[in-house]
Amino acid sequence: SETITEKPSFRGPVKNKRVIIPMDGFYEWKPGSPDGPLSSKGKPLKQPMFIERADGEPLAVAGLWSAWKGPADPKQRWLNSATVITTEANDDMAVIHNRMPVLVPPDRWEEWLDPSNADIESLSDLFTARNDDILRLYDVSTDVNSVRNNTPNLTTPISD
């Protein structure tokens, strides 16, 4: 979010191609402890965590979208893409990572999605909102480390 108006790939879309990406939550990996389990390369194993809203409601994450024609596609089909906007971590997230998605509160959805609102300064406070105490973080199984695993229990909390 800090450079969104400067980067060529984002400065156009941030003016009128904003999107809200709904999600139940997301994963992040907590750094491993030097005295904890080690990987086969002798490095501390990272612990996967699931991050969700503490009240169980879905997250509304700020993003940008674009549609473009792929140069390698002989049929010149339109390709759709989206990106999540991140910001400095709040108090909840800072214990495991220095970044987090920008969260859009329900009372700002219409303003964020309005393509006629090109005044990014009026929206920029979303990028710095702390949103402390809104998230719940908990350890989950290392099964999330493999794309072969795709089951609902990947978000089930584990205990030590």
Side-chain angles (χ1 to χ4, degrees), residues 12-80:
V14 75
K15 291 178 184 171
N16 59 10
K17 293 186 176 175
R18 296 180 300 270
V19 64
I20 291 176
I21 302 170
M23 58 177 75
D24 293 328
F26 59 96
Y27 297 100
E28 192 53 72
W29 282 256
K30 179 171 49 178
S33 170
D35 59 342
L38 302 176
S39 71
S40 59
K41 296 181 180 180
K43 295 186 178 187
L45 285 175
K46 293 181 178 182
Q47 173 60 53
M49 302 189 77
F50 189 69
I51 296 94
E52 64 184 358
R53 280 184 55 132
D55 62 8
E57 291 295 315
L59 292 166
V61 173
L64 302 174
W65 68 272
S66 64
W68 47 285
K69 289 192 177 192
D73 188 341
K75 296 180 184 173
Q76 290 294 301
R77 293 186 204 141
W78 283 95
L79 301 173
N80 299 300

Side-chain angles (χ1 to χ4, degrees), residues 9-157:
S9 56
F10 300 130
R11 73 175 162 238
V14 75
K15 291 178 184 171
N16 59 10
K17 293 186 176 175
R18 296 180 300 270
V19 64
I20 291 176
I21 302 170
M23 58 177 75
D24 293 328
F26 59 96
Y27 297 100
E28 192 53 72
W29 282 256
K30 179 171 49 178
S33 170
D35 59 342
L38 302 176
S39 71
S40 59
K41 296 181 180 180
K43 295 186 178 187
L45 285 175
K46 293 181 178 182
Q47 173 60 53
M49 302 189 77
F50 189 69
I51 296 94
E52 64 184 358
R53 280 184 55 132
D55 62 8
E57 291 295 315
L59 292 166
V61 173
L64 302 174
W65 68 272
S66 64
W68 47 285
K69 289 192 177 192
D73 188 341
K75 296 180 184 173
Q76 290 294 301
R77 293 186 204 141
W78 283 95
L79 301 173
N80 299 300
S81 61
T83 189
V84 169
I85 301 172
T86 63
T87 190
E88 183 179 328
N90 66 11
D91 290 344
D92 301 322
M93 282 294 297
V95 297
I96 59 169
H97 202 278
N98 64 340
R99 306 291 299 167
M100 65 178 273
V102 169
L103 305 177
V104 184
D107 64 339
R108 303 287 301 275
W109 291 358
E110 189 173 324
E111 180 185 7
W112 176 255
L113 294 172
D114 182 358
S116 67
N117 180 7
D119 181 8
I120 302 311
E121 294 237 358
S122 71
L123 298 168
S124 64
D125 63 321
L126 288 171
F127 304 151
T128 57
R130 297 295 305 162
N131 293 303
D132 292 320
D133 301 321
I134 195 173
L135 300 174
R136 179 170 85 115
L137 299 74
Y138 54 87
D139 295 352
V140 293
S141 168
T142 55
D143 288 349
V144 304
N145 294 341
S146 173
V147 295
R148 291 183 304 240
N149 301 320
N150 188 13
T151 62
N153 68 342
L154 293 178
T155 61
T156 301

